[in-house]
Amino acid sequence: MEFSKISIGYLIYLPIVITLTILVSETLFKNGKTFMLDIFKGREDIALATNRLFKVGFYLVNIGWALLILKISSLYNNSYQELIEALSYKIGGFSIYLGIMLFINLFFFFRGRKHQSSKNRIRKEEIPS
């Protein structure tokens, strides 16, 4: 039995999007540890646990999305050119999506840090000198 070009496309697409997701996730959450430690005032156990939960959620959302958009429409001429174009559209779109997800996570890190800083400032103002 011969593989169709669409099957070949799936065999190319899936490892690429999963690898991209892993690379972005590892980078984001390795560096996100610093934000988490700041947000949780150096309480490493809670910071690392929260960071791991964010990482699992990141994997679930992004790999889930990659699977939802998996379908490659039929190739009209059944050519490799069409396959490459379909893959570039899918992988490029997924890369843009991952970039947006990265910035959304950074937004939440900065928001948590800002929220924690404002709480610390309020507490310092409440303490009489």
Side-chain angles (χ1 to χ4, degrees), residues 30-121:
K30 181 179 86 175
N31 296 309
K33 178 182 172 185
T34 304
F35 289 100
M36 290 297 184
L37 286 170
D38 187 42
I39 291 167
F40 291 106
K41 299 182 214 165
R43 293 179 57 201
E44 192 167 356
D45 54 340
I46 294 177
L48 293 178
T50 304
N51 207 31
R52 280 192 294 269
L53 289 172
F54 269 118
K55 186 176 187 179
V56 169
F58 190 85
Y59 281 137
L60 290 172
V61 168
N62 293 305
I63 291 175
W65 181 252
L67 292 171
L68 275 174
I69 64 169
L70 174 70
K71 182 178 181 184
I72 296 175
S73 299
S74 61
L75 305 173
Y76 298 108
N77 296 321
N78 202 25
S79 69
Y80 285 108
Q81 177 186 351
E82 286 180 329
L83 176 61
I84 290 169
E85 289 170 357
L87 285 172
S88 69
Y89 182 79
K90 288 213 163 289
I91 294 169
F94 186 75
S95 296
I96 292 169
Y97 164 79
L98 270 180
I100 291 168
M101 290 301 290
L102 172 76
F103 285 116
I104 288 171
N105 275 278
L106 286 174
F107 169 77
F108 285 123
F109 284 147
F110 283 118
R111 186 172 175 207
R113 190 172 185 210
K114 181 181 175 187
H115 179 71
Q116 188 60 35
S117 295
S118 66
K119 283 175 68 176
N120 287 341
R121 193 172 356 103

Side-chain angles (χ1 to χ4, degrees), residues 17-29 58-59:
V17 297
I18 290 170
T19 301
L20 279 172
T21 301
I22 291 169
L23 290 174
V24 170
S25 174
E26 291 300 319
T27 301
L28 178 63
F29 294 103
F58 190 85
Y59 281 137

